[in-house]
Amino acid sequence: MMNDGCKPNEITFVSVLSACSRSGLLEEGRRVYELMVRVHGLKPSIEHYGCIVDLLGRAGHLKEALKLVQTMPLKEESVGVWESLLSACRSHGDVALAEIIAEKNLKLNPTDSYSYVQLSNIYAAKERWGDVREVRRKMRMQKVSKEPGGSMIEVDGVVHEFLAGDGLHA
């Protein structure tokens, strides 16, 4: 793109960083991020931070991702970034860091089921059944329930939504 004289913008960098993350291209993603900030002078948005945290998390660089999240200036918008890091903890089996992140997420949004469910799943993977029960007890106390999974499809201009367990689209 740059070779053809096109100047990349913020959206371009989100797309490229996301592609690096999904493809496992850690060093390329780091290089692209530095190019965005240092060469093009673009200020990272929450989407850019999310891509980099996802990139680092998928590559198992959880401590580096945590440091980035802790130092990013967009604290009030950071719930999704923390959730991305929590997901990486689940993938890499890092219970201690997952507990810290889940606590942080629940302070930001105590009624969101995501952190509870992820932490419960992390404990279950480690066969820590007492901890699983405790997380589920806390969910009941906070009156938080897991949101059902779902998907959508458009057929002949009509959007159909499917929710897990709804039994309406058999």
Side-chain angles (χ1 to χ4, degrees):
M1 205 176 141
M2 290 169 35
N3 290 341
D4 289 338
C6 293
K7 184 178 179 193
N9 63 17
E10 292 87 351
I11 296 167
T12 307
F13 281 104
V14 168
S15 299
V16 174
L17 289 170
S18 179
C20 288
S21 177
R22 304 276 182 212
S23 302
L25 301 173
L26 178 64
E27 293 310 317
E28 289 84 348
R30 284 180 169 155
R31 188 178 52 74
V32 166
Y33 181 78
E34 287 300 313
L35 182 72
M36 178 185 90
V37 174
R38 302 219 191 287
V39 174
H40 294 281
L42 298 174
K43 185 177 177 183
S45 69
I46 195 68
E47 290 82 8
H48 298 111
Y49 283 114
C51 290
I52 292 295
V53 168
D54 188 54
L55 173 70
L56 293 168
R58 287 173 186 261
H61 294 256
L62 302 178
K63 301 286 192 256
E64 185 180 349
L66 175 63
K67 184 178 177 184
L68 178 64
V69 176
Q70 289 173 328
T71 59
M72 67 184 203
L74 307 165
K75 302 291 186 213
E76 65 281 351
E77 305 171 37
S78 65
V79 172
V81 178
W82 283 106
E83 288 177 351
S84 178
L85 186 52
L86 183 57
S87 178
C89 289
R90 180 179 179 199
S91 297
H92 295 284
D94 191 330
V95 176
L97 185 55
E99 290 170 333
I100 293 166
I101 294 167
E103 182 179 325
K104 173 73 174 172
N105 282 352
L106 292 171
K107 282 183 183 174
L108 292 171
N109 191 357
T111 60
D112 183 34
S113 66
Y114 184 85
S115 294
Y116 287 112
V117 171
Q118 285 289 60
L119 191 57
S120 176
N121 289 339
I122 290 166
Y123 287 144
K126 298 290 185 180
E127 298 183 0
R128 292 176 53 175
W129 306 116
D131 291 324
V132 170
R133 282 189 294 279
E134 180 61 19
V135 169
R136 291 181 181 171
R137 184 189 67 76
K138 287 179 182 177
M139 286 178 73
R140 283 191 301 276
M141 286 180 59
Q142 293 291 329
K143 296 182 174 42
V144 174
S145 59
K146 181 181 180 297
E147 295 180 24
S151 62
M152 291 188 223
I153 186 170
E154 183 177 341
V155 178
D156 296 327
V158 178
V159 176
H160 300 272
E161 183 176 16
F162 302 89
L163 298 175
D166 69 3
L168 299 176
H169 294 89

